[in-house]
Each structure stands twice: as C-alpha cells, then as structure tokens.
Amino acid sequence: MSRHTVDDLQAIADAIVAMAEPGEQIEANVARSRETDIRVYNGDLEHFVSAQSQGISVRVIKDGRTGSSHAGTLDEVAWREVLAEARENATLGSVDEWAGLAEPDGVAIVEQELWDDTLDAFDTAKKIEIAKELERAAVGADPRVRIDDSNYSDGATEEAFATTMGIRSSGRSNSCYASVSVMADDAGETQTGWAYALGKNPAEFDLGKAGVEAANKATGLLGAVKPPSKRTTVVLDPMVTAQFLGIIGSTLNGESVVKGRSLFANRLGEAVASPLITLVDDPTDSRAYTASEIDSEGLAARRNVLIKDGVLQMFVHSSYSARRAGTKSTGNAVGGGVGCLALQLTPGTKTQEELIADIEEGVLIQSVQGLHSGVNPISGDFSTGASGVMIRNGKVAEPIREFTIASTLQRMLLDVLAIGNDVDWLPMRAAGVSMVIADVTMSGA
Amino acid sequence: MSLIDLSHEFDSSVLSRVLAKGRSTGAGFSEVFIEDKRSMGASLDDGLVEQVSSGRDSGAGIRVINGETTGFAYTADLSEAGLLAAAGAAAAAASSGDGGTHTVSLGTAKRHPVNTVRIAPQSVPKARKVELLMIANDAARGIDSSIVQVSAGYSDATRRILIANSDGVFATDEQVRTIFRVSAVANGDAGMQTGYDSLGHTIGFELFEEENINELAERAARQAVTKLRARPAPSGALQVVIKCGSGGVLFHEACGHGLEADLVARGASVYANRVGDQVASPLVTLVDDGTMSREWGAIGIDDEGHESQRNVLIKDGVLTDYMWDHIRAGKEGRAPSGNGRRQSYEHLPMVRMTNTFVLNGKEEPDDIVRATEYGVYVAKLGGGQVNTASGDFVFGMTEAYLIENGQITEPLRESNLIGNGPQVLSDIDMLGNDFAMGNPGMCGKDGQGVPVGDGQPTLRVKSLTIGGTAA
C-alpha cells in the first residue's frame, strides 16, 4: 500500500497513537468504505444499496493487559471516547506477560495491485445492466432453469494504521463481483445452482460462462438419488478442496498450538500428509484473491511453506503467539488472532477428467453443506453433507444428493491419492484444485 | 458514552422531511430505520482474561420502495443533513422519474413489552462481568484433570431502534441481550475432544442471578470428558431420538426457512403453495413467537416497526401460514406477521424467524428411548444449513449416544446428520411432554445474522441419515 496514501485517515491514526502515555502501547485502525449492492429479479431491479461507512478501532496494552474499543464515526469526540474506553478496558484484563504489539521486523512489503481505476469510475447504470445480463445468461442456458437472484456488488476501502512501535501505513483497495443463483425444475423436483464472475473490474467478467455454470449445476442435480452407504474414493471439486484447506489451515495456527488446541502440535518434521501435499500460505502471490501486503499487525505478508512433500514444516504466528512459542511472527496476524492468508497446494499434472479416468468406482463431490456443524478442527472429526456425481469405470455417472462424507482430518491428509492441475483462484483464503482422497465413508440410504 | 434517547432526539418533523425526501423521485413508500447500539464483551482463554472490548455502532438506513424496486442507503451521520443525504441516495436508487412531494403524519405504533430488563448491563461494573469468566474457567477445570483448555466469553448488547415510514408508522424499541459461552477441551489417549455450552436471554445482567455459571461451565467440561471415550458415529439411516431443548435447529432448518414468505414467493421453497396441506406428522404443531419474554429471539417490534406476534405455522401437521415482512405482506394484501428483521442499520430487512418451536406431545421422554431398539440419542445439536428449494438440510450433533435395546449406551464422536425437510417432518413418530427452549442461536441468511431461539420436546424421527464412519 506504499504508492497511495490516505492522509486524512493517517492523520487520525497518528493522532491517536501520539496520545500514548509512558508505558502504554497503542494501535489504531481507521477506515472509510463505500459499497454498491445490486440485485435483479426477472429483469427488474429488485434492490440497489448505496452506502458509506467508517470506523475507528483502538487497542491499548498497558502492564500486560489488553483493552480495545471501536466506534462507527471518525470525528475527534468519537475517537477520544474510543481511546478512553480502550484504556478503561485495559485495566480489566489479566496480566499476560506475552501481550504486546508487533515490533517492525525489517521484512520488505511485496507490493500488490489492490486498486483499479476502471472499477472506481464504472458507470452505475452499467452495473445494473451486468446483473441483468448475467440473469439472462443463466436463465437462457436451459429451459428448465429459472432465476433465484442475480447480483452485482462492489466495494472500496481506504485504511490507515499506526502503532506506538513505529509501524505506519495507509492505502486503498477495491473489488467487485457478480453472482447468480438459479433453480431448475423437473417432474416436481427443484435443484439449485450458483456461480459468480470475478475480475479487477466489471469489464473482465465472463458473464456468459458464469450463467451457464450456474444453470449446469442446477440441472445436473435433477434426478439425483440418495446413494447407499459405503467406503469409497472421492474427488473433491476445486471449490470443495479450497474449503477443506481452510480447515487444515486453522489446525496449523500457532496460537492453537501454544494453547494446546492443535491436532498437529509436536508433529513438526513428521509426515502428516501424503508426499503429494505441499501446502503454502502465500499472500504475496498476486494471483491469489486474498493477496495482501500486510497482516493485521502491520507486518509484511510473506510466503510460508507449511507442509512440504507431506512433512510438517511450521505453524503460522502473530507476534503474540510467536512470543509465547519462542519464535518470530510469520506475518499471519488476522483480526485479533492468527490465521492463514492465501493458501495454495502445489498442483499435480492431470486434469479432473484424467483423475476421474483413473477411478473404477467413486464419487465426484461438487458441493458440501454444514462444514461449520460437522467438522471439528480440534478433535479432527470430519463429517459433511454433500452432493455430486457417481464415478463408474473412470467416467461420471448418475447425480447423487442427500448424503454425507466422513473421515478425520488426519486421515484425509494421509489418504490423498492425487492432486489435479486445475488451480482455480477462488474468492476465498485458499485456492482450489481437484484432489482425490481414498477411504472416505459415504452415508446415504 | 450513553445511548441516545431516539424518540426525543428525532422529532417527527425531521423524520417527516426525511421520509418526504425519500419519496421525492416518485416512490410510494419510504422508511427510516435508526439504530444506536452499545456492546461490551470480554473473553478468557488459557486461564487469562485476554481482551476486554466495547463498541458503539449507530446510524440510519433509509429504504425507498418504488414498484418492484427498493433503493437503500445507510449512513453513520445522524444529523438531519446526513439523513437527508441518505434519503436522497436511496430515492435516486429507486427513481422512477415522476417526482412529487409527499408528506406524512406519524402515529405511534404498539410494541409488545418483551423486554423487562431489571439490571441494565451498562449499570454493572465491567470488572463484575470479567469475574464471571474466571468463575467459569475454575468450574470447568475442576471437573476432571483431562480438561486441558477452557475458553469463555461474556457479551452484552443494548440496541435502541426507531422506525418511521410513509405509511405513518412510528415505533421505537430497546432490545437488551446478554450471553455467556464456555468451551472446553479434554485430552485423552485417543486425542482431543471438545465441549460447549451457552446461555443467552433477551434480558440484562439479572441473567447471572437467575442462572448458574458454574453449572454451565461444568456441563461444557463434562461433555468434552464424556466424548474422550466416544466411538465413531454410525454411518447410514437410523432411528434418532432428540433430547428436549437441544433440537429446535432441526425445525429451523427442516421447515423454518422454507416458511419465510420471501423464499416462498420466489418458488424457492418446497413449502410453496402448500397451505392447508399435511406437511408434517399430525404430532407437530410449529410456532414462531417473537413475544416470548426473555427468549433469545424476543423482540418488542420487528425492524420494520411492527409489533411482534405469536404465529402458528403448522397445526397438527397441517401448514397454516408463512412468516411475512412488509414487502411480501403488502403484495398479498395482508398484515405483516412481525418477522421483518435486519442485522443492523446497514442492512435491508427481510423475512426472519424469531423464536421457533414445536409444542408438547404426550409421551414420557423415557418411554421414547425405551421404545427404540437401535438408534442414536442426540443430547446436543450444533448448527445446521438448509437448501430451501430442494429441502435437503444438515445439522451437526455435538453430543450424542448410541441407543441399544431401549437404553442409552456409549457416547459417539461428532458428525453431521442429513435429511430432507418434508420427509423428516412426516417421519416424526413420537413426541414428548417435556418441552424446553434450546441454546441461543445466530441465524444467517443472505449474509445477515440475527438472534433466534428454538425449542422442542424430546422427539423421535424414525429415519435420519447419520454421517459417521462406523459400519
């Protein structure tokens, strides 16, 4: 964020930090954002949301105690109150010898292109037209398809950050997407599908492709049956793999490790996954949707190899968890905690079709439901609702739905048989790629 | 930082001008939603009170409806100029170009007095709230030496809202919610297991005079310890008994969302065009009730200014009605049902549940277990998710046991269950007489979260697919 500065917000952040008293650490975040949210239904504009918001959040650490406060306005009365509240809150916590802000570590920021002028200047009427065109593309793809909703969204944020440790930065970012959700009906049965179009600005959207993808997802499930229960090999679609990697990432969180909540504590240097697995968290890769320049403590975001050829290499840390673990921050502070920023697996050489061709009987998992309710990253239990397609003799066969797939996170990592070459830079904190996993329990009829 | 007294701060002449501005581009309806929310939270982890935080969020959302189009703008600037600017933006967004001036006189709407707060959270020293965290930590760790980690969270929120619209509605409400959560990790030979419990009501700090934090923490810890000896859950379709007060989420997902009129109107619900039909076992009477004092989903008025109501959705298995908001009720020429809710002033209202529950049946709960040869007894359900168009839904079981020969036996590891809404509703074959409300929930829809309650007596579903790994 070094090329563009947001001077008025930086001035507020600096002013808050300048109020620090002896022995007091202060971190200030000041942001201003605007958003547009458009929904179209049956050719009509259903809603148009146009809004601006702003906010200040302050963290104060004194004598090993941490307090924070936030407010949704930028005026000086508000930020003085926020600082006073954060100070009061900091008298109430426990003394934690490891509490503290991040110290500058000299790691250079890898600049990212987070702002697009074309998007910033994009005409409002054309945004509505995009949502309408996407609706037409989806509904026109198949006579059995009707619309649920078609959407266009964009947002722009300016932010400034300052701490008493001397970290200062400001910058701006904007992004946009269009999404469509459809239903397909046949013989009294209804199935759903959705898809989105991404780009730095709307001119990069492939609306036709997104429309057809949503329609195909819905029509592909028509006539789906509930499969019998059995152990089987599954192929995860890139989106499902990305969701799975998000959970794996949470088990490699250094704060969970120091607090005794990680499955993989004490496993550094051991084979925790199939040798095919090399998992990297790399927010400096500009292809990643969540590419970023700094973490939430203001340290440079960086490339970290978490698992190499199946062997666990490291955990990700904020300055707090690093201090506790006797190591250095890996630039992975997220919100008030620790997290991976932009995960990716090293891809294999085969297309999804080629992966399927190698499988005599199995299931292609196209979507999962209930990851929040059936996966426990502490015990490792993994159970999720799913829909997809049966694989027979190396080819996709009938669609199936209303079943679950289950295993444990530990076993799934070890049971990976192959990874595809179809990397998809999804709008998530992990890139997707097809992945084949053996010996998963499918529960159905 | 004290809360704004909204009805004094915003006189009706200002609101009338803002509403008129909203209709200045020809819209038939305009609405001002003003919110002032104060929240406070504290969390404990690893034996330490890690962070105490507080926040203030206030602002206004202006909604303008012109034919099929809704324009919406929000702002944190609550001055008349700020409100007028937002109204202008919303009006432009919903513009039909024919202009005009519309004035309105505001009357005061009724509100259901559900919020009988005895001890306002702001009146309680923060240090007392923080103390509760240490009590929970000690209680959970005292249960067993296998407890290796405990975290606990306290939070309260006081939300004042004001709604005025061009139909003449003027309404205010204050909603106070207090919640406490405990989670525990136990470590044993076969790895770690987790336990969780929570307590939340639409009341103030008196929650902690009425309820016992020690017991809550002990339940969470015991759940984790019990699961250390859990075996993998079965895989496949089985009889499932769900303990009272733990399985309301089943109805929330199996049919609650499908009875929201916005989804029904889109034909995105398996329950569309089914009023008067038998959609569930005759044992089932399902109610959504925003008036239930103290409960987590209780509201005096909804976020469109309508008084909360008790709505019977399914009676003796027959679908009687859907839940409604302003837009959908208007299209049908009927009254709204008090279900128009939104997460905050930054969001558009839509049809949402409040407290959704199934009324008592006649069976003794013990008889339900005794009548079950082989199946699963679910003592605690986690979250869930539904596809309303197909009816397929999942929900997680966080504490469950095997039933063998009519007896509850071994604990089971966590897994999801999956079913299809209409099928599961008709498969309910036993219903207990021990109704209880469940844990406080946060329901997500279209990116917005709102607090909801649920409840049910002990019941049995004759076939549900358990997503475990054991043959």
Side-chain angles (χ1 to χ4, degrees), chain A residues 74-148:
Chain A
L74 298 185
D75 62 80
E76 185 168 343
V77 176
W79 69 250
R80 285 181 181 274
E81 280 181 349
V82 168
L83 178 60
E85 283 260 338
R87 279 180 170 149
E88 185 202 340
N89 291 340
T91 64
L92 298 163
S94 306
V95 175
D96 183 344
E97 57 178 305
W98 296 289
L101 302 177
E103 296 195 31
D105 61 3
V107 175
I109 285 174
V110 179
E111 286 188 3
Q112 301 292 325
E113 195 52 69
L114 302 171
W115 181 264
D116 187 273
D117 286 324
T118 307
L119 169 59
D120 192 47
F122 207 79
D123 180 62
T124 299
K126 283 189 190 157
K127 295 176 184 177
I128 298 171
E129 208 34 62
I130 283 169
K132 289 182 176 174
E133 188 184 333
L134 179 56
E135 179 181 55
R136 287 192 297 271
V139 174
D142 190 296
R144 295 168 295 176
V145 168
R146 61 192 163 95
I147 194 70
D148 186 3

Side-chain angles (χ1 to χ4, degrees), chain A residues 130-439:
Chain A
I130 283 169
K132 289 182 176 174
E133 188 184 333
L134 179 56
E135 179 181 55
R136 287 192 297 271
V139 174
D142 190 296
R144 295 168 295 176
V145 168
R146 61 192 163 95
I147 194 70
D148 186 3
D149 53 51
S150 181
N151 305 281
Y152 168 88
S153 290
D154 63 35
T157 300
E158 297 173 293
E159 284 182 278
F161 182 82
T163 77
T164 47
M165 309 302 272
I167 296 177
R168 270 177 97 238
S169 69
S170 71
R172 59 180 182 173
S173 59
N174 63 4
S175 65
C176 60
Y177 68 91
S179 67
V180 64
S181 164
V182 300
M183 291 172 278
D185 306 304
D186 195 28
E189 176 195 355
T190 301
Q191 297 297 339
T192 59
W194 61 278
Y196 49 80
L198 296 175
K200 295 265 184 207
N201 62 63
E204 296 182 3
F205 290 171
D206 190 340
L207 299 172
K209 179 170 166 248
V212 168
E213 185 186 336
N216 285 348
K217 277 186 189 163
T219 56
L221 275 173
L222 287 169
V225 294
K226 186 166 181 155
S229 303
K230 59 155 51 175
R231 287 212 172 182
T232 189
T233 297
V234 296
V235 180
L236 306 184
D237 246 351
M239 164 74 86
V240 178
T241 300
Q243 291 171 282
F244 177 74
L245 293 181
I247 295 163
I248 296 299
S250 74
T251 68
L252 302 177
N253 174 324
E255 185 167 350
S256 299
V257 174
V258 296
K259 291 180 175 173
R261 276 196 194 92
S262 169
L263 284 174
F264 296 112
N266 309 317
R267 301 288 308 275
L268 283 177
E270 293 180 24
V272 298
S274 151
L276 298 170
I277 298 273
T278 291
L279 179 65
V280 178
D281 186 44
D282 189 4
T284 69
D285 186 333
S286 60
R287 295 172 299 177
Y289 188 81
T290 52
S292 41
E293 294 181 342
I294 55 172
D295 75 353
S296 70
E297 290 186 301
L299 296 183
R302 59 202 77 173
R303 180 175 195 269
N304 291 304
V305 180
L306 310 180
I307 299 174
K308 184 166 171 54
D309 303 329
V311 177
L312 182 59
Q313 305 292 313
M314 62 178 289
F315 301 108
V316 295
H317 284 285
S318 65
S319 69
Y320 173 79
S321 67
R323 238 173 260 129
R324 287 193 57 169
T327 178
K328 286 183 163 26
S329 170
T330 59
N332 285 91
V334 173
V338 183
C340 294
L341 300 173
L343 291 165
Q344 52 178 293
L345 279 176
T346 300
T349 56
K350 293 185 174 176
T351 64
Q352 188 185 77
E353 205 179 346
E354 289 165 345
L355 294 174
I356 288 171
D358 292 341
I359 297 169
E360 194 168 323
E361 190 180 276
V363 182
L364 172 62
I365 303 293
Q366 293 171 312
S367 74
V368 289
Q369 229 185 346
L371 282 174
H372 63 301
S373 59
V375 181
N376 184 325
I378 297 176
S379 69
D381 286 322
F382 180 98
S383 167
T384 167
S387 61
V389 189
M390 286 298 300
I391 298 169
R392 295 181 203 286
N393 303 317
K395 292 203 160 37
V396 291
E398 76 277 11
I400 52 175
R401 54 170 262 265
E402 204 193 331
F403 65 96
T404 61
I405 51 171
S407 181
T408 64
L409 296 172
Q410 301 94 315
R411 285 201 48 183
M412 290 170 88
L413 281 177
L414 290 166
D415 288 342
V416 170
L417 296 178
I419 294 171
N421 65 3
D422 50 348
V423 177
D424 192 355
W425 300 98
L426 297 162
M428 304 166 64
R429 286 204 179 272
V433 65
S434 291
M435 183 158 74
V436 184
I437 303 179
D439 208 22

